[in-house]
Amino acid sequence: MVGFGLGTLRYVPEESKDKVISDEDVLGTLLKVFQALFLNDFNKQSEILTMLPESVKSKYQDLLAVEHQGVKLLENRHQQQSTFKPEEILYKTLGFSVAQATSSLISAGKGVFVTKGLVPKGAVVSMYPGTVYQKYEPIFFQSIGNPFIFRCLDGVLIDGNDKGISKVVYRSCNGRDRLGPLKMSDSTWLTSEIHNPLAVGQYVNNCSNDRAANVCYQEFDVPAVFPIELKQYLPNIAYSYDKQSPLRCVVLVALRDISQGEELFSNYYTIVS
């Protein structure tokens, strides 16, 4: 992947300043996918469920009952229902799945492909994971030779590197922010067992003259109303423990319908300053 260097800025043409889809649409998609992942993993969520209000708990039990009509005892669900892989949940929920694979570009390394189904234009097709740095925070060691630094329009940086110091920093922040059994973010994108199947956006390659962009980046701040039990699927974490500013996420949105087997290519709009 060709990423942002620290000396680059995203140049956004006037006609692209508006978001491709609304924040409400982004939030709706994330909640839909995360809720489906939570229900699929229900038998492992018992510790978390004890901390949730009765109304929230019963909402999930009702959803589960609807999903598996005929399953009388939710406690025995794991004996009666096999859980699905995260990418299968993504396909069941949004009608497509995506995954990392060797890029079709020579010497590009990894890329991201639509492995099943069809991505409709305007759909959230993946997320850019990583540690989120405010522009005044140190990101020196992590940025040396790091092709995974994403620069947001306001100067906020996201380090999507899943190796080396970057990996250590993310894991450390992830451990710091836990509230008992409640995780405030997802660190599984650093492993081969990804819990959130959307968290592969750091491997989307830049478009070229013969490969037009089919996705674009869109910034999204996680609202205060985001359900605490679903934060375990957010693949981003703030470097500083600062409750004042909302967590920045970046999603990739489809610019057209994208078919099974196609590789995702983004438009970075970069200019070197």
Side-chain angles (χ1 to χ4, degrees), residues 51 177 199:
M51 299 189 69
D177 287 1

Side-chain angles (χ1 to χ4, degrees), residues 77-126:
R77 175 175 179 251
H78 59 280
Q79 293 160 9
Q80 301 169 40
Q81 296 286 331
S82 57
T83 51
F84 295 93
K85 289 179 181 167
E87 59 269 28
E88 294 171 329
I89 293 296
L90 185 61
Y91 177 70
K92 279 165 62 109
T93 309
L94 299 185
F96 64 83
S97 55
V98 292
Q100 294 176 35
T102 304
S103 176
S104 58
L105 296 176
I106 295 163
S107 78
K110 290 179 182 176
V112 178
F113 292 80
V114 178
T115 50
K116 198 174 176 187
L118 174 90
V119 178
K121 180 182 176 179
V124 173
V125 67
S126 64

Side-chain angles (χ1 to χ4, degrees), residues 23-143:
D23 282 348
E24 288 74 19
D25 286 344
V26 174
L27 178 62
T29 299
L30 297 186
L31 290 178
K32 196 174 173 185
V33 173
F34 293 1
Q35 190 170 283
L37 291 168
F38 187 85
L39 288 172
N40 184 58
D41 230 7
F42 202 73
N43 59 323
K44 292 181 190 162
Q45 305 284 358
S46 54
E47 260 194 296
I48 289 169
L49 287 163
T50 59
M51 299 189 69
L52 300 178
E54 273 310 317
S55 56
V56 178
K57 215 182 299 184
S58 60
K59 177 190 82 169
Y60 284 114
Q61 290 174 329
D62 291 346
L63 285 167
L64 206 57
V66 169
E67 204 174 289
H68 303 296
Q69 279 172 343
V71 178
K72 293 285 182 282
L73 293 169
L74 290 171
E75 293 75 18
N76 295 335
R77 175 175 179 251
H78 59 280
Q79 293 160 9
Q80 301 169 40
Q81 296 286 331
S82 57
T83 51
F84 295 93
K85 289 179 181 167
E87 59 269 28
E88 294 171 329
I89 293 296
L90 185 61
Y91 177 70
K92 279 165 62 109
T93 309
L94 299 185
F96 64 83
S97 55
V98 292
Q100 294 176 35
T102 304
S103 176
S104 58
L105 296 176
I106 295 163
S107 78
K110 290 179 182 176
V112 178
F113 292 80
V114 178
T115 50
K116 198 174 176 187
L118 174 90
V119 178
K121 180 182 176 179
V124 173
V125 67
S126 64
M127 301 180 75
Y128 196 100
T131 307
V132 182
Y133 291 84
Q134 299 303 317
K135 48 192 171 196
Y136 52 82
E137 289 173 342
I139 185 170
F140 180 65
F141 292 111
Q142 297 91 303
S143 66

